[in-house]
Amino acid sequence: TAISEGEGAIASLKEEISSLTASIKDLDNKVAEATELRKQEHVEYKEERAANAAAKNIILMAKDRMDQFYNKKSSLVQVSSHRSLQSDTLAPPPETFDAYTTKGAEASKVT
């Protein structure tokens, strides 16, 4: 009976070992999949970061170009600013047409 109990214990331990071995293989497969996924995500991250850096550089170049274009120091801008300072000495506006008057009832008839 002690031998049969020992053989039963050995059989159950063999089942546990095979079950644990299968679990370890499954876990190894999951770890390998997760590692591969992280590698792919890292490659995508590096590509996206490079694209963002390139876009940032393009935006900065465009900003500098616009700054150069719109912030020119020219005599026209200076003349214009001098004119705005003298706005209180402007001539009166030109005379316009007479005041608006309506013609009456006969003007609304369609012929």
Side-chain angles (χ1 to χ4, degrees):
T1 61
I3 293 175
S4 66
E5 287 177 10
E7 288 175 354
I10 290 173
S12 68
L13 289 175
K14 283 183 181 180
E15 284 181 27
E16 279 187 50
I17 289 173
S18 65
S19 173
L20 290 174
T21 303
S23 295
I24 290 172
K25 286 182 182 180
D26 185 45
L27 183 61
D28 285 343
N29 288 337
K30 288 181 181 179
V31 168
E33 288 175 8
T35 301
E36 186 62 32
L37 180 63
R38 280 193 297 273
K39 286 180 182 179
Q40 290 174 355
E41 288 174 348
H42 181 66
V43 168
E44 291 173 4
Y45 168 77
K46 287 171 57 176
E47 290 172 354
E48 186 174 343
R49 185 169 173 153
N52 287 344
K56 179 181 173 185
N57 288 337
I58 290 171
I59 290 171
L60 289 174
M61 286 181 2
K63 179 185 161 275
D64 289 342
R65 283 282 208 181
M66 291 174 63
D67 192 42
Q68 289 172 359
F69 181 78
Y70 287 110
N71 292 327
K72 288 182 182 176
K73 302 293 181 194
S74 69
S75 61
L76 294 176
V77 174
Q78 293 171 356
V79 168
S80 153
S81 66
H82 288 298
R83 285 184 185 161
S84 67
L85 293 175
Q86 299 171 353
S87 64
D88 56 351
T89 60
L90 292 178
E95 293 189 26
T96 60
F97 297 104
D98 293 334
Y100 179 76
T101 58
T102 58
K103 291 188 175 188
E106 56 274 341
S108 63
K109 293 182 183 174
V110 177
T111 57

